Structure formats: structure tokens, C-alpha cells
Amino acid sequence: MSQMSGFNRRIQRSGAPGDPLRRGTPDLLLWRVAAATSIQQFSGIWWKRRLQRQHFLSGPYRCHGRAATISMNPSWQRPAAKAVAEGIEGVAFGDLFLEDVRAYRERQLEGTGLTPIFPVWGLPTQALAEEMIASGLRARLTCVDTEKLDSSFVGREFDSALLSAFPAEIDPCGERGEFHSFVYAGPMLTSPIPISLGETLIRERFAFADLTMNGGI
């Protein structure tokens, strides 16, 4: 499978006829910056700065200058209004099968003028995880819910060996909150993000892998 022909084309084709996702590439990326831990600060603030420089988003995922002008907050009203004013028609979510989460997204967008789009909804998660890895995506687990998965998994590479090591009850994509990850390389990036794995932090039931960017922000 070539880097751009499998997983990425599936995403491009997944919308129904007339969906905004089918009519062109995304021009806007919404993200949420949370500052509860150093890990979240890294993946939020640093991501924002790199987006502004446009160093690495390309292909069907390229975001233009507007990409860094809107960030999510607890209320969708302000960012949604700004997005609509800039010609944005829909928002794509990566939700896979949790009906309550999908309903929550749809409620958030009611009356905003934005259409919720779920391009990977209902895909078998084992096959999807394998396809992402085969497409060239590289990631590390940055957070593990220790009530669902042993803390030794935090910091591990998201690869075939990891999928094989997961207990049977763990969703391969972490859809039930078993883990969260940070993508540092893949077909949507023009070059890998240079990161180093630091110490493991335990906060209540969660284990975090502290990631740093080689060379600083």
C-alpha cells in the first residue's frame, strides 16, 4: 500500500454525495488546547505554532493560512460562526462507533450552519488500525487509563506489535478512552516531528508519557 493511496483515499471517498468532505480538501483545522499537563501543552501549543508555519501539512490534509486562526473552546458558537463566515460548510470528526459521542457532536453543531461529518464511522477498528499503520502513520501512546490498560503501555509505539499485545477487551483505536496517542509521522506530514520520550507521569488513574520535541519549540 502506498502512503497516499489507501487510508487517505478511503477518508476522501467516505462522505455521501454532496457532503463538504467530497467537494475539496479541508481548509480549516479546529483543535482544542488544554493545559492540565505538560503533555497536553506540548501537543496543543506546539501543534498550533507548527500549523502557523505550515511546515508539514500537505496533500488532502493541507490547511491554509486560516488553519491556525480558530481554536475550539467549550462553546462551539464563536468558532462555528467564524468558520461559516469564512466559507466552511462542515466539520469532520474521527468518531468510530460511540453513539452518545456522535449525538453530542451533532447537538454541538445544531443551528451553527456547519454539517457534522463522520468519515470513518462504523469501520472495523482492528482493520482500521492496521490500515493506518500500513499507510505509514507513526504514533506513540501518550496517555493510558490504568483502569483499562496497564501503565506499561504508555509511551509505546503504535504498531503491529502493540496491537498484538493489547488485551482482547481493548479497542485497537482506543475509542473507549483506553489510551490517547500523538502522531509524529505519516502520509499527512511532509516530514516526521522529531520527538523524544521522557518520564512517565501518574496522575490519579491516568499514566502520561512526557514527550519533548528535539531542539525545543
Side-chain angles (χ1 to χ4, degrees), residues 7 10-11 94-96 119-135 137 158 163 171-173 175:
F7 174 68
R10 180 199 292 264
I11 300 302
D95 300 298
L96 292 166
V120 292
W121 183 261
L123 295 181
T125 54
Q126 178 69 31
L128 179 61
E130 292 171 354
E131 188 172 359
M132 288 190 291
I133 293 168
S135 76
L137 181 141
F158 186 75
L163 299 184
D171 182 75
C173 294
E175 184 69 351

Side-chain angles (χ1 to χ4, degrees), residues 21 33 56 72 120 127 133 136 152 155 158 162 172 183 192 204-205 215:
L21 192 65
V33 176
F56 61 91
M72 289 172 56
V120 292
I133 293 168
S152 62
F158 186 75
L162 179 72
V183 175
E204 299 178 349
R205 61 188 273 188

Side-chain angles (χ1 to χ4, degrees), residues 50-105:
R50 287 300 292 263
L51 271 176
Q52 289 172 325
R53 297 173 192 171
Q54 296 188 31
H55 277 190
F56 61 91
L57 291 177
S58 64
Y61 297 97
R62 182 160 184 84
C63 294
H64 306 292
R66 291 178 291 169
T69 64
I70 301 177
S71 61
M72 289 172 56
N73 59 33
S75 169
W76 272 85
Q77 298 304 313
R78 185 170 62 183
K82 185 163 185 172
V84 170
E86 294 189 7
I88 305 301
E89 300 174 49
V91 178
F93 297 95
D95 300 298
L96 292 166
F97 57 75
L98 297 177
E99 296 284 354
D100 58 333
V101 176
R102 176 168 179 157
Y104 171 70
R105 310 282 195 211

